[in-house]
Amino acid sequence: MTKDKAYLEEVKMKPEAWSRRSFLRTVGATGMFAFSWRPESLERVEAASKSVADLSPDEVARDEFYWREVQLGFKLDRSLINLNNGFTCPCPRVVLESAFRYTEMINMLPVHYQGMVAGNIETIRRRMAKEFGCSPEELALTRGASEAMQIAINGIDLERGDEVITTEQDYPRMLTTWDQRMRREGIKVTRLQFPVPATQDYLYTMFEKAITPRTKVFHFCHITNLTAQLFPVQRLSRLARSRGIVTIVDGAHALGHFPFQLRDLECDAYGVSLHKWLLAPIGNGCLYVRRDMIPKFWPLQAAPEQQDDDIHKFEAIGTHPWGIRAALGEALAYHQAIGAERKAARLRYLNLRWVNALKKYPQVKVLTDFSEPAQAWGVAAVTIDGIDVRSLARFLRQKYRIIVVPLVGGAPPNQVFDYQAIRVSPNIYTTIEEIDTFIEGMEDAVKSGVPEDEFPPEADGPVDL
């Protein structure tokens, strides 16, 4: 008996191995055999998604059979539980292999293959624009959100005394960039503080009240990297436009995280890290600039005058990392194979599992709004009264092998918080068992406390935001 036939006989004898009949109908027995030997296969995820096409996103979020297929698409270190996916996310295998393949091809004869791969990037630009709701002529591909945002921040003309309104809870690198312009050019940067969580109305009114005759720019996050506070981007953009104010939005944690269309936000510029929730190789990002605003932003590096109204001017950086840029196509395909709505529902489901489990402990405070309609998905912040969050993060890492990031007042530099918390950010490859281990660890901390001096500071592990 051949290996293929032996496997098929085994499947017939053990139907419990594949409980979803619709999945079998979609891929067929022979197709399933092929997929079982190719866990990185994009086709496998596409087939699994077809098998749940008749279910709502919330129903799919609870379907562990489906998400097991997604999880098999990653090559991970399961000896640790990564709940700091708000930093940089692992790529699916198919994406990583694509980056290797393109990089190897370019390396064989750079003068020939580099130009060939670079030319094909326009296909990716069109696909990205179609998926995320803008024109290809409005989307620049960058090396990350920091580059995208600095293009916008440094690219807008301001005069001495002009004012920028931002918040204390924006990303440190962006605040540092505004601070440098303040020192160099004499502009004014007003940082607003707000409680967490805050309502959409509160945030809107906060910006409205802060406007002065010299206000020229609103700069804020779509969702913050700290507690995933969601901002009313469209409302703030409309307010700004009515007052002649430019809106620059930090979307590092939003695109690929939950569904929305860029054009619907109505902002002027929007920067993204694609190596976060879109699961692209490290070093991928994008910048959306509304078509009529492109001439009003200077590029980060010099571009010819003929490109003043061309989105490509923002990509003038010299030599590009074309291998990892080309792999963005596979990352987008993986995202589309799952579906934005299903992905967001799963992320929300994973966080709600521990949020609801820990509600019974009054000393546990969740600083992210998980009420309806959805205000939060894959990122949450939580604290336990009386326990230092650095000690809590150390405790979870050392005893339960869970990686979370502590958010502490006064750190990182140039930020001021009036709260402490740990940030919890699972991803689509996170298992229910891993979430339950986090629940167990938090309950242990609540009931027994956390020894503050037991673990040395160097045991903290990653603290990147």
Side-chain angles (χ1 to χ4, degrees), residues 126-143:
R126 288 193 296 272
R127 289 177 56 208
M128 286 284 294
K130 183 178 180 181
E131 175 69 16
F132 297 114
C134 66
S135 164
E137 288 75 31
E138 297 175 312
L139 192 68
L141 300 177
T142 69
R143 291 171 292 185

Side-chain angles (χ1 to χ4, degrees), residues 161-200:
D162 284 347
E163 182 185 34
V164 175
I165 299 178
T166 184
T167 80
E168 286 284 5
Q169 296 180 38
D170 213 297
Y171 195 70
R173 185 179 298 276
M174 280 44 270
L175 294 178
T176 298
T177 306
W178 282 122
D179 284 348
Q180 179 170 283
R181 288 203 67 174
M182 182 170 59
R183 298 194 308 272
R184 186 176 180 177
E185 302 170 44
I187 66 171
K188 179 182 179 182
V189 179
T190 299
R191 297 187 188 180
L192 307 176
Q193 184 58 287
F194 56 91
V196 288
T199 66
Q200 303 285 284

Side-chain angles (χ1 to χ4, degrees), residues 311-350:
I311 195 70
H312 292 82
K313 72 179 180 180
F314 302 123
E315 298 176 0
I317 61 167
T319 303
H320 285 253
W322 292 118
I324 61 172
R325 182 66 47 74
L328 176 58
E330 293 288 354
L332 179 59
Y334 202 86
H335 171 81
Q336 291 171 325
I338 296 168
E341 290 79 10
R342 294 190 190 111
K343 185 174 177 181
R346 176 63 173 184
L347 294 172
R348 184 172 170 83
Y349 172 75
L350 291 173

